[in-house]
Amino acid sequence: MVKERKLTRAEQKAQRPLQILDAAFEEFVKNGYAATRVEDIAERVGVTKGTVYVYFETKELLFESMIRHVSRPFGEIATNAETLVGSPPEKLTALLRMVYEQLFDDRQTREVMRLVISEGPKFPDIVERHERDFVNPVIASVEAILAEGVGLGQFHPGPAGFAELMVAPIVTVTVMRLIFGDRREVDKEAYIKAHMELLLHGLHRSAVETA
Amino acid sequence: MVKERKLTRAEQKAQRPLQILDAAFEEFVKNGYAATRVEDIAERVGVTKGTVYVYFETKELLFESMIRHVSRPFGEIATNAETLVGSPPEKLTALLRMVYEQLFDDRQTREVMRLVISEGPKFPDIVERHERDFVNPVIASVEAILAEGVGLGQFHPGPAGFAELMVAPIVTVTVMRLIFGDRREVDKEAYIKAHMELLLHGLHRSAVETA
Amino acid sequence: MVKERKLTRAEQKAQRPLQILDAAFEEFVKNGYAATRVEDIAERVGVTKGTVYVYFETKELLFESMIRHVSRPFGEIATNAETLVGSPPEKLTALLRMVYEQLFDDRQTREVMRLVISEGPKFPDIVERHERDFVNPVIASVEAILAEGVGLGQFHPGPAGFAELMVAPIVTVTVMRLIFGDRREVDKEAYIKAHMELLLHGLHRSAVETA
Amino acid sequence: MVKERKLTRAEQKAQRPLQILDAAFEEFVKNGYAATRVEDIAERVGVTKGTVYVYFETKELLFESMIRHVSRPFGEIATNAETLVGSPPEKLTALLRMVYEQLFDDRQTREVMRLVISEGPKFPDIVERHERDFVNPVIASVEAILAEGVGLGQFHPGPAGFAELMVAPIVTVTVMRLIFGDRREVDKEAYIKAHMELLLHGLHRSAVETA
DNA sequence: CATGAATGAGCATTCATTCAT
DNA sequence: AATGAATGAATGCTCATTCAT
């Protein structure tokens, strides 16, 4: 309220599309594409249906714009991955922490994942975008570190062949959060610690023990 | 077509609900709950809209019945887990193979997972069922083996504290299959092998090497 | 239950149409023509929809048959009216008591009146029947007595010109019963007494007093 | 048509609900609640189905609104009754003339009576409203005059105990008009005159004669 | 006769979209 | 830009009616 006073008319108008996109995110996440009413999105912003159509031609385009809108931060991971320092295990640990933050902690990214799963068949574009902007960069970053580790003789080439395995615990805990919400809480730090131990040392005691 | 002649009225009638459930599965999977038309389900069976309502009172009940219908095989895993023999690593490997078959290979279970993710917020019942009939049994079976391994001094208590970590690669590859379909094919056997190696030995070479 | 044992198959079958008509009466009265489901009528008899169609071609014909069925006793009044004895006031009193019994006390006749009012526009036949079998005979009987009374110099020709006036209190209390059910109970005997006094003596005290 | 040009959007909009209510009255009267199609109401106004739903959430609410709409003038009788002057017989006569105008002459009120009779079981609210706004005020007004007449020694306490008896001829002729329409025309003035004579003097000649 | 599965026309209601103001 | 009245196509659901068994 106080802030809004500061905005000029012009600024406020410039905000409209963004407000609509944010409202659209909430509604589409709550109900899915088909079950969401344009009117509910408008209501959430405090405008009428017609206004939404001033900025977005159709509900489909609004949906796609919204996905693009909330997908913005995705690309950063790849960039940041390049700045990591330390040994491969250290870099891997650091990178995976970034993925936890991005995928598990960030509600928007998490819910985009739900929408990609549920609306993907109807909106191939968002699947492609998700692959290009999120999956591929993450996989590439992980692979780079794995390759380095293998090159240095620190990582086994076997499990290192599938970057997906490294991020799987993150994907899984995220999916469970999508499905069960708060009903199945996890001790995040303990989970991450166990995840890292598993990655680096495996379950087998003899292996580590003798090290 | 030829077969149909053989069916008596009574037989045909007994088939109807099953035919409708199967058709409903296909349509709900393709479009999601809201975007699926009862008429399309009927058409797929070769009957008219009204016939669907002879067997299912509402679209919602049809959806829930369909989920129950295709969720039948879930319980078996827990039962079979108890019959496993061998060392904990062997049993774990065998169990995870069963999960691969159930979750990754079986289209119905895979698609139920999609529906649980997308329609869960609207159908809390299917989330509960999925937790009770699938997630919990699998987790419990894995935990039993992990506990045994820890008890025998073969498994580290650290990573063994989270059964989710063991199945995470399966969940992840399944989710990716849901999202990307055939676009991102994986060499399943190589993936499973890497998965098992990772679980048992970890990435770290020194560990294994020195063993 | 016990009674039914006595019925032979044949007898029971002969009953079917009557049972259906009775059930139809209840349902049509409860919901009106349009809002009544043939299935509910069948259910009330303990048969299925199809059975109703064995005996009645359409819902409309069933409705009309039902009206005819429950309208049976109407004609009797006219017959009985002719057997009345006594002075015109005595005969009028006796006749009106018969109308009270027929119209106000008898649930079937009362409810037929409701149906004539509500479904008359759609079923002109039942209006005609009601006029011919009920209204006209009653009016004619009243008129005959009034004419006799006027002829004998006992009744004023003025009010005696409208037989409707004599039965109006009965019609009115019946309509109120249809509308208000038990919510507005009347002391029937007191009402009839007041009705008769009004008819014969009017409200005006001077008139009676000086008599 | 010509007029419409003159209406501004705003004016037209303000008219819409009223137009719809009027159209609804005609259709509901013609067919009853269940057999009336919202689309026919819309068509009568010259708009489409959807427009009706802009103003009325459901068919039921439209029906109830319509009843309220056409029941507006009911309350006036009670108010006007208080302004009557003259002797009790004069006041009674004047009051009953008002009831004739309201109930018998006014098509809307007459048809509301039909709807109360036919739809009352499904819409208890309209029965209550009819009782509160129409029946009770009329009865109360009549009773006040009767009480006054009895108090002045001009009316017999017997028949004066039931106000319903005084209005019964009006109710009856109205019901007959509902049922038979124009088929059974009455000489209204002669009927009213006979009605009044009956009320005040009764049928019995001796009574009046000797007065 | 009786059944009940199947039909299909019908209807209430919803909602994305348009457009005059 | 913003509104919101109006549209009309769509869709869930109902129910009178039919007919093979």
Side-chain angles (χ1 to χ4, degrees):
Chain A
M1 292 299 158
V2 177
K3 264 193 206 161
E4 281 178 18
R5 286 297 95 171
K6 288 179 182 173
L7 294 176
T8 65
R9 278 279 147 119
E11 282 169 336
Q12 195 154 4
K13 282 187 179 172
Q15 299 270 306
R16 267 294 128 83
L18 297 180
Q19 294 177 315
I20 293 171
L21 289 170
D22 285 339
F25 170 76
E26 298 298 340
E27 292 295 323
F28 283 128
V29 157
K30 196 168 68 181
N31 314 304
Y33 175 77
T36 291
R37 294 146 28 95
V38 172
E39 190 159 18
D40 286 341
I41 295 171
E43 208 165 69
R44 197 177 265 269
V45 180
V47 298
T48 61
K49 251 190 313 191
T51 305
V52 174
Y53 282 90
V54 169
Y55 297 96
F56 302 93
E57 281 187 55
T58 67
K59 189 184 168 187
E60 291 203 5
L61 287 172
L62 171 56
F63 180 76
E64 287 166 349
S65 299
M66 176 277 285
I67 292 286
R68 251 173 277 131
H69 176 61
V70 296
S71 300
R72 278 172 315 174
F74 280 12
E76 300 169 15
I77 282 191
T79 321
N80 294 340
E82 292 171 17
T83 69
L84 293 174
V85 291
S87 68
E90 284 166 351
K91 284 158 85 170
L92 183 60
T93 303
L95 177 64
L96 293 179
R97 278 207 171 264
M98 285 169 52
V99 179
Y100 269 106
E101 273 170 36
Q102 179 69 225
L103 188 56
F104 178 76
D105 295 330
D106 183 67
R107 180 166 161 258
Q108 285 195 341
T109 307
R110 222 187 308 138
E111 294 295 349
V112 164
M113 191 176 170
R114 189 203 300 275
L115 292 171
V116 168
I117 291 170
S118 51
E119 312 298 345
K122 189 185 161 81
F123 294 92
D125 280 7
I126 74 174
V127 177
E128 262 179 61
R129 165 176 308 277
H130 190 250
E131 185 176 24
R132 193 188 65 218
D133 292 355
F134 189 68
V135 177
N136 285 347
V138 169
I139 295 293
S141 302
V142 174
E143 277 175 346
I145 296 173
L146 291 176
E148 187 190 356
V150 170
L152 294 174
Q154 294 180 1
F155 288 164
H156 283 289
F162 289 94
E164 289 90 342
L165 292 174
M166 313 305 144
V167 297
I170 314 178
V171 171
T172 299
V173 77
T174 301
V175 166
M176 294 194 64
R177 192 167 182 181
L178 283 178
I179 295 176
F180 297 113
D182 299 333
R183 191 150 94 245
R184 269 181 104 95
E185 299 246 22
V186 218
D187 177 341
K188 190 189 147 196
E189 280 308 318
Y191 184 85
I192 295 182
K193 190 156 170 266
H195 174 190
M196 299 307 169
E197 283 179 20
L198 183 70
L199 282 202
L200 298 174
H201 308 299
L203 274 173
H204 230 301
R205 188 148 218 168
S206 62
V208 180
E209 212 104 280
T210 58
Chain B
M1 297 300 153
V2 177
K3 263 191 210 159
E4 279 178 21
R5 286 300 91 171
K6 289 180 184 173
L7 294 176
T8 68
R9 274 278 138 143
E11 284 168 336
Q12 181 134 16
K13 180 208 151 179
Q15 298 276 306
R16 267 295 123 82
L18 298 179
Q19 294 176 315
I20 293 171
L21 289 170
D22 286 338
F25 171 77
E26 298 299 340
E27 292 294 324
F28 283 130
V29 156
K30 194 168 69 181
N31 315 304
Y33 175 76
T36 292
R37 292 149 24 95
V38 173
E39 194 160 16
D40 287 341
I41 295 172
E43 210 164 69
R44 197 177 267 268
V45 181
V47 298
T48 61
K49 235 183 340 183
T51 304
V52 174
Y53 283 93
V54 169
Y55 297 94
F56 302 92
E57 283 188 50
T58 64
K59 186 182 167 187
E60 290 204 6
L61 287 172
L62 171 56
F63 179 76
E64 287 166 350
S65 299
M66 176 276 285
I67 292 285
R68 248 173 279 132
H69 178 61
V70 298
S71 301
R72 280 172 315 176
F74 281 13
E76 300 170 15
I77 282 192
T79 320
N80 294 340
E82 291 169 17
T83 69
L84 294 174
V85 291
S87 67
E90 285 165 351
K91 284 158 84 170
L92 184 59
T93 303
L95 178 63
L96 293 179
R97 278 206 172 267
M98 285 169 50
V99 179
Y100 269 105
E101 271 169 38
Q102 180 69 225
L103 188 57
F104 178 76
D105 294 331
D106 183 67
R107 177 164 163 261
Q108 285 195 341
T109 307
R110 221 186 309 137
E111 294 295 348
V112 164
M113 190 175 170
R114 188 202 302 275
L115 291 171
V116 168
I117 291 170
S118 50
E119 311 299 344
K122 188 183 161 83
F123 294 92
D125 279 7
I126 73 174
V127 176
E128 261 179 62
R129 167 176 307 276
H130 190 251
E131 184 176 25
R132 193 189 63 218
D133 292 356
F134 189 68
V135 177
N136 285 347
V138 169
I139 295 293
S141 301
V142 174
E143 277 175 345
I145 295 173
L146 292 176
E148 188 192 353
V150 170
L152 293 173
Q154 295 180 2
F155 288 163
H156 286 289
F162 290 93
E164 289 89 341
L165 293 174
M166 313 305 144
V167 297
I170 314 178
V171 172
T172 299
V173 76
T174 302
V175 167
M176 294 194 67
R177 191 167 184 183
L178 283 177
I179 295 176
F180 299 111
D182 299 333
R183 189 147 94 247
R184 266 181 107 94
E185 299 246 21
V186 218
D187 176 342
K188 191 188 148 196
E189 280 308 319
Y191 184 85
I192 295 181
K193 187 158 174 265
H195 173 191
M196 299 307 166
E197 283 179 19
L198 182 70
L199 282 201
L200 297 174
H201 307 298
L203 273 174
H204 227 302
R205 188 149 216 169
S206 61
V208 180
E209 212 109 278
T210 57
Chain C
M1 293 295 160
V2 178
K3 261 192 210 163
E4 281 178 18
R5 285 298 94 173
K6 289 178 182 174
L7 295 176
T8 66
R9 277 280 145 118
E11 283 169 334
Q12 194 154 6
K13 280 187 181 172
Q15 300 270 306
R16 266 295 127 81
L18 297 179
Q19 293 177 314
I20 293 171
L21 289 170
D22 286 338
F25 169 78
E26 297 298 340
E27 291 295 325
F28 283 129
V29 157
K30 195 168 68 180
N31 315 303
Y33 174 76
T36 292
R37 292 145 32 94
V38 172
E39 190 160 17
D40 286 341
I41 295 171
E43 207 164 70
R44 200 177 264 269
V45 180
V47 297
T48 59
K49 251 189 313 190
T51 305
V52 174
Y53 283 89
V54 169
Y55 297 97
F56 303 92
E57 281 188 52
T58 65
K59 187 183 168 187
E60 290 202 5
L61 287 172
L62 171 55
F63 180 76
E64 287 165 350
S65 299
M66 177 277 284
I67 292 287
R68 250 173 276 132
H69 177 60
V70 297
S71 302
R72 279 171 314 174
F74 281 11
E76 300 169 14
I77 281 191
T79 320
N80 293 339
E82 291 170 17
T83 70
L84 294 174
V85 293
S87 68
E90 285 166 348
K91 285 160 84 169
L92 183 59
T93 303
L95 178 63
L96 292 179
R97 278 206 172 267
M98 285 169 52
V99 179
Y100 270 107
E101 274 170 35
Q102 180 69 223
L103 188 56
F104 179 76
D105 295 331
D106 183 67
R107 178 165 163 260
Q108 285 195 341
T109 308
R110 221 187 309 138
E111 293 295 349
V112 164
M113 190 175 170
R114 190 204 299 275
L115 291 172
V116 168
I117 291 170
S118 50
E119 311 300 343
K122 188 186 161 81
F123 293 92
D125 279 6
I126 75 174
V127 176
E128 262 178 62
R129 165 175 309 275
H130 191 250
E131 184 175 24
R132 191 189 66 219
D133 292 355
F134 189 69
V135 178
N136 285 346
V138 168
I139 295 294
S141 301
V142 174
E143 278 175 345
I145 296 174
L146 290 176
E148 187 191 355
V150 171
L152 293 174
Q154 294 180 3
F155 287 164
H156 285 288
F162 289 93
E164 289 89 342
L165 292 174
M166 312 305 144
V167 297
I170 314 178
V171 171
T172 299
V173 77
T174 302
V175 167
M176 294 193 66
R177 194 169 183 182
L178 283 178
I179 295 176
F180 298 113
D182 299 333
R183 190 149 93 247
R184 270 182 103 94
E185 299 247 22
V186 219
D187 177 342
K188 189 188 147 195
E189 279 308 320
Y191 184 85
I192 295 181
K193 188 159 174 265
H195 174 190
M196 300 306 168
E197 283 180 22
L198 183 70
L199 281 202
L200 297 176
H201 307 298
L203 272 174
H204 228 302
R205 189 150 217 165
S206 62
V208 179
E209 212 110 276
T210 56
Chain D
M1 295 299 153
V2 177
K3 261 191 209 160
E4 279 178 21
R5 286 299 91 171
K6 288 181 183 173
L7 293 176
T8 66
R9 273 279 138 141
E11 282 168 338
Q12 181 134 15
K13 180 207 150 179
Q15 299 275 308
R16 268 295 125 82
L18 299 179
Q19 294 176 314
I20 293 171
L21 289 169
D22 286 339
F25 170 77
E26 298 298 341
E27 291 294 325
F28 282 130
V29 157
K30 194 169 69 181
N31 314 304
Y33 174 78
T36 291
R37 294 151 21 98
V38 172
E39 192 160 16
D40 287 341
I41 295 172
E43 210 163 69
R44 197 177 266 268
V45 180
V47 297
T48 61
K49 237 180 340 181
T51 304
V52 174
Y53 283 92
V54 170
Y55 297 96
F56 302 93
E57 283 188 50
T58 64
K59 188 182 165 186
E60 289 203 8
L61 287 172
L62 171 55
F63 180 75
E64 287 166 352
S65 299
M66 176 277 284
I67 292 286
R68 248 173 278 130
H69 178 60
V70 297
S71 300
R72 278 171 316 175
F74 282 12
E76 300 170 15
I77 282 190
T79 320
N80 294 341
E82 291 171 18
T83 69
L84 293 174
V85 292
S87 68
E90 285 166 349
K91 284 159 84 170
L92 184 59
T93 304
L95 179 63
L96 293 180
R97 279 206 170 266
M98 285 169 51
V99 179
Y100 269 107
E101 274 171 36
Q102 180 69 225
L103 188 56
F104 178 76
D105 295 331
D106 182 68
R107 175 163 166 261
Q108 285 195 339
T109 307
R110 222 187 308 138
E111 294 294 351
V112 164
M113 191 176 170
R114 189 204 299 275
L115 291 172
V116 169
I117 291 170
S118 51
E119 311 299 343
K122 189 184 160 83
F123 294 93
D125 280 7
I126 74 174
V127 176
E128 262 179 61
R129 167 176 307 276
H130 191 251
E131 184 176 25
R132 193 189 64 219
D133 292 354
F134 190 67
V135 177
N136 286 345
V138 168
I139 295 294
S141 301
V142 173
E143 277 176 346
I145 295 173
L146 291 175
E148 188 190 353
V150 171
L152 292 174
Q154 294 180 0
F155 288 163
H156 284 290
F162 289 94
E164 290 89 343
L165 292 174
M166 314 304 144
V167 296
I170 314 178
V171 171
T172 299
V173 76
T174 302
V175 167
M176 295 193 65
R177 192 167 185 183
L178 283 178
I179 295 176
F180 299 112
D182 299 333
R183 189 149 93 247
R184 268 181 105 94
E185 298 248 22
V186 217
D187 177 341
K188 189 188 150 195
E189 280 308 319
Y191 184 84
I192 295 182
K193 188 156 172 268
H195 173 190
M196 300 306 168
E197 283 180 20
L198 183 70
L199 281 202
L200 297 175
H201 306 298
L203 273 173
H204 229 300
R205 187 148 218 168
S206 62
V208 180
E209 212 104 279
T210 56

